[in-house]
């Protein structure tokens, strides 16, 4: 084999590569598509977790929708007000201040056991569920799942699986939200088959951690910490912020002043004072009358 | 015409690129979780295979063969395919944004898809790389048919996978292992077509 063959091969291949390179360079100029520079800037403001809490396929899709004026600026729960402020600066509109929301598990049925392993507290179990660990499956078994309560948290952690922020975990059979990590994207709320997860404003002091709409006697039989709709909290509330709807106490947060009186009278101890705050935050002392 | 029909049958069934020749297994496993995306990938691959067949035919016939550089086929074909996919991507982005969006991430993935390289090498092996319009047509048809075979295989596989995902296999088979076994069974089924000849 003579040396020329090698040289031709190198030249031809090099030439081909160069040729294609030039074609590509020319094509990138010819086929250049004007993209709005604001799109990249918007993308930078967003957390990039693609949690889907805004209702779009991901952060990129949301940024595009904002650019096209199809989506409101404050829809990113994860980025919060910081992202909203930056984005409104880019888009040249005024930011709306959105209160930070966090997920709240409306169930107090944490199971407690005595030293010989008998259940003494929490949501009663009506049967042993041996299927795979998935609330959506478990909730279909035996009519309403393995718990005697039709409304409470099943505790198989479907919410834990969908949470992209590692902010919700099952503790003693009931999901618990880590409010520091929760960004309020609402994925757990959507996926929960029991609809036991709701959203509250971050820093809310008084919450009713029960979801049971069953009649008081039924709730009392199925859980040691279920709202029986007795109405003591309603009576003691100085601002009429509590109503009993479908055997369940509900707080109207526009009236609630976080005095904490309701928590002191609840016979089931399920009205929690400052359950969703950080431990570091000061807890307002209830005014004992 | 008979030759074209023969090529179609071979590429779709008896010599299916994925399930018989085992080319392009990585997109086959990677983008087959949903039927929609599998179909998108299939269309993209079909498109690129047909174009690549045409481009590589030209490069081979007009550049490599006159200079006795047949042994450089593989390298130059890779070059051709990679640049081609890039140009196609830019072209679509500019003129057919809807299709660009639909194909999305699949186009760049095809750049390194060995099924595309495989189809042009098979073209060369089958002797289509001759300066003759009919042979050119045959290589393009083989490329397009290869892509259709890919589409058939990946859509079939995705349909099976969608169902298997809902079932509950033993713990050790969950996820990828059961997908590999499914692929193996599909390949076994396609082995049944081997030797199928109409003409």
């Amino acid at each position: 084999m003579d040396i020329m063959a090698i040289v031709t091969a190198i030249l031809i291949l090099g030439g081909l590569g160069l040729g294609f390179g030039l074609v590509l360079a020319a094509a990138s100029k010819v086929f250049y598509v004007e993209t709005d520079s604001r799109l990249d800037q918007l993308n930078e403001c967003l957390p990039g977790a693609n949690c889907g809490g805004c209702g779009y396929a991901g952060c990129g899709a949301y940024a595009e929708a904002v650019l096209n004026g199809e989506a409101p600026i404050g829809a990113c729960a994860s980025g919060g007000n910081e992202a909203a402020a930056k984005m409104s600066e880019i888009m040249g509109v005024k930011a709306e201040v959105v209160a930070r929301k966090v997920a709240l598990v409306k169930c107090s049925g944490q199971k407690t056991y005595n030293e010989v392993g008998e259940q003494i507290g929490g949501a009663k179990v009506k049967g042993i569920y041996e299927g795979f660990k998935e609330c959506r499956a478990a909730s279909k078994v035996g009519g309403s799942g393995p718990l005697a309560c039709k409304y409470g948290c099943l505790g198989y952690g479907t919410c834990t699986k969908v949470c992209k922020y590692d902010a919700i975990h099952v503790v003693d059979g009931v999901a618990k939200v880590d409010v520091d990590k929760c960004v309020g994207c609402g994925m757990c709320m959507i996926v929960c088959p029991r609809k036991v997860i709701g959203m509250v404003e971050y820093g809310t002091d008084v919450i009713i951690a029960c979801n049971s709409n069953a009649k008081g006697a039924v709730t009392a039989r199925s859980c040691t910490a279920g709202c029986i709709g007795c109405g003591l909290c309603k009576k003691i509330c100085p601002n009429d912020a509590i109503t009993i709807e479908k055997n369940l106490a509900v707080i109207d947060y526009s009236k609630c002043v976080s005095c904490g009186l309701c928590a002191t009278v609840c016979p089931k101890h399920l009205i929690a004072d400052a359950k969703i705050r950080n431990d570091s935050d000061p807890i307002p002392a209830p005014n004992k009358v | 015409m008979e030759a074209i029909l023969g090529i179609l049958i071979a590429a779709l069934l008896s010599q299916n690129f994925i399930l018989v020749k085992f080319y392009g297994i990585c997109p086959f496993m990677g983008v087959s979780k949903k039927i929609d995306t599998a179909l998108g990938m299939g269309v993209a691959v079909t498109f690129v295979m047909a174009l690549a067949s045409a481009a590589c035919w030209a490069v081979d016939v007009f550049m490599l063969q006159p200079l006795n550089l047949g042994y450089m086929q593989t390298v130059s074909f890779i070059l051709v395919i990679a640049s081609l996919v890039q140009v196609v991507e830019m072209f679509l982005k500019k003129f057919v944004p809807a299709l660009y969006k639909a194909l999305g991430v699949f186009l760049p993935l095809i750049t390194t898809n060995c099924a595309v390289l495989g189809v042009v090498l098979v073209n060369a092996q089958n002797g289509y790389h001759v300066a003759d319009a009919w042979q050119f047509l045959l290589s393009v048809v083989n490329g397009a048919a290869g892509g259709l075979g890919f589409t058939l295989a990946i859509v079939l596989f995705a349909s099976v996978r969608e169902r298997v995902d809902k079932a509950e296999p033993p713990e050790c088979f969950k996820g990828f292992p059961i997908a590999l076994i499914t692929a193996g069974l599909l390949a076994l089924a396609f082995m049944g077509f081997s030797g199928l000849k109409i003409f």
Side-chain angles (χ1 to χ4, degrees):
Chain A
M1 175 186 258
D2 68 314
I3 198 83
M4 274 318 286
I6 300 173
V7 175
T8 0
I10 292 172
L11 283 179
I12 287 292
L13 253 280
L16 265 182
L18 195 67
F20 287 135
L22 288 175
V23 169
L24 276 186
S28 72
K29 284 270 182 283
V30 174
F31 300 137
Y32 181 70
V33 182
E34 194 86 27
T35 49
D36 203 324
S37 63
R38 291 182 299 176
L39 189 63
D40 290 334
Q41 293 174 337
L42 285 176
N43 267 322
E44 269 170 34
C45 301
L46 293 167
N50 296 324
C51 68
C54 53
Y56 289 88
C59 293
Y62 173 58
E64 211 162 294
V66 168
L67 194 67
N68 297 335
E70 290 159 7
I73 276 176
C76 180
S78 164
N81 283 329
E82 202 183 320
K86 276 196 223 154
M87 289 172 80
S88 49
E89 206 173 290
I90 294 163
M91 296 298 292
V93 292
K94 206 169 173 299
E96 297 157 34
V97 177
V98 189
R100 179 181 165 190
K101 297 243 173 142
V102 289
L104 162 72
V105 182
K106 292 179 284 184
C107 182
S108 304
Q110 283 87 353
K111 297 175 191 72
T112 47
Y113 301 91
N114 64 10
E115 55 278 2
V116 289
E118 289 163 333
Q119 189 179 350
I120 51 168
K124 292 204 179 79
V125 177
K126 79 178 170 195
I128 295 166
Y129 173 69
E130 293 276 10
F132 55 116
K133 304 289 178 222
E134 162 68 52
C135 301
R136 286 170 291 190
S139 69
K140 300 262 191 309
V141 176
S144 61
L147 291 181
C149 171
K150 279 190 345 199
Y151 304 91
C153 175
L154 290 164
Y156 292 113
T158 296
C159 44
T160 311
K161 277 180 225 150
V162 298
C163 183
K164 297 208 172 164
Y165 300 92
D166 189 36
I168 188 164
H169 298 280
V170 176
V171 182
D172 297 333
V174 172
K176 190 175 187 326
V177 177
D178 182 341
V179 289
D180 285 330
K181 289 183 183 165
C182 181
V183 300
C185 69
M187 289 310 282
C188 50
M189 190 172 83
I190 294 164
V191 80
C192 179
R194 294 293 188 124
K195 303 288 165 225
V196 74
I197 304 177
M199 305 297 282
V200 287
E201 249 175 59
Y202 176 80
T204 306
D205 293 316
V206 183
I207 56 166
I208 291 170
C210 184
N211 192 36
S212 172
N213 291 128
K215 286 210 172 79
V218 176
T219 305
R221 275 202 299 275
S222 55
C223 184
T224 58
C227 178
I228 50 175
C230 65
L232 284 177
C233 47
K234 184 184 166 188
K235 274 180 208 140
I236 204 164
C237 182
N239 293 316
D240 299 327
I242 299 180
T243 47
I244 308 290
E245 288 167 20
K246 288 191 194 161
N247 308 306
L248 178 64
V250 177
I251 298 181
D252 178 355
Y253 284 109
S254 64
K255 292 180 187 165
C256 176
V257 294
S258 308
C259 66
L261 281 175
C262 47
T264 61
V265 294
C266 178
K268 296 287 183 177
H269 307 292
L270 63 88
I271 304 187
D273 207 356
K275 230 184 204 173
I276 63 153
R277 293 176 65 119
N278 295 333
D279 289 336
S280 54
D281 289 348
I283 296 168
N287 308 316
K288 287 256 164 67
V289 186
Chain B
M1 281 325 285
E2 284 173 7
I4 289 180
L5 205 58
I7 286 175
L8 275 173
I9 293 204
L12 277 172
L13 303 172
S14 62
Q15 292 293 313
N16 188 296
F17 275 90
I18 298 285
L19 293 172
V20 178
K21 295 196 174 188
F22 307 120
Y23 298 156
I25 295 297
C26 68
F28 180 67
M29 298 308 294
V31 241
S32 56
K33 277 202 172 142
K34 278 187 186 158
I35 296 179
D36 300 356
T37 49
L39 199 61
M41 186 71 188
V43 171
V45 167
T46 309
F47 184 59
V48 170
M49 273 188 178
L51 270 180
S53 296
C56 291
W57 182 87
V59 167
D60 199 15
V61 168
F62 297 121
M63 290 189 75
L64 299 183
Q65 284 175 7
L67 290 160
N68 289 324
L69 287 175
Y71 59 92
M72 296 301 277
Q73 269 177 352
T74 311
V75 183
S76 33
F77 289 171
I78 291 175
L79 203 61
V80 173
I81 292 166
S83 340
L84 188 73
V85 172
Q86 291 297 313
V87 174
V88 166
E89 195 186 351
M90 285 190 258
F91 178 83
L92 288 182
K93 198 174 180 183
K94 175 88 176 175
F95 294 109
V96 204
L99 187 62
Y100 174 76
K101 264 208 172 137
L103 294 181
V105 73
F106 302 129
L107 268 179
L109 273 179
I110 297 166
T111 316
T112 49
N113 185 343
C114 53
V116 182
L117 180 65
V119 88
V120 289
L121 287 175
V122 166
N123 282 343
Q125 237 173 42
N126 287 2
Y128 299 149
H129 284 188
V130 185
D132 173 50
W134 174 246
Q135 296 295 336
F136 174 72
L137 183 69
L138 285 187
S139 55
V140 174
V141 167
N142 192 32
L148 289 178
F150 178 91
T151 313
L152 177 73
I154 198 168
V155 169
L156 279 179
F157 183 51
S159 325
V160 177
R161 255 183 111 172
E162 272 193 5
R163 290 195 159 206
V164 169
D165 263 3
K166 292 198 180 73
E168 208 190 348
E171 190 69 40
C172 54
F173 281 131
K174 258 181 198 166
F176 216 70
I178 195 79
L180 284 170
I181 288 171
T182 314
L185 289 175
L186 260 182
L188 213 61
F190 267 69
M191 286 292 172
F193 291 118
S194 65
L196 177 70
K197 266 189 192 139
I198 291 186
F199 304 107

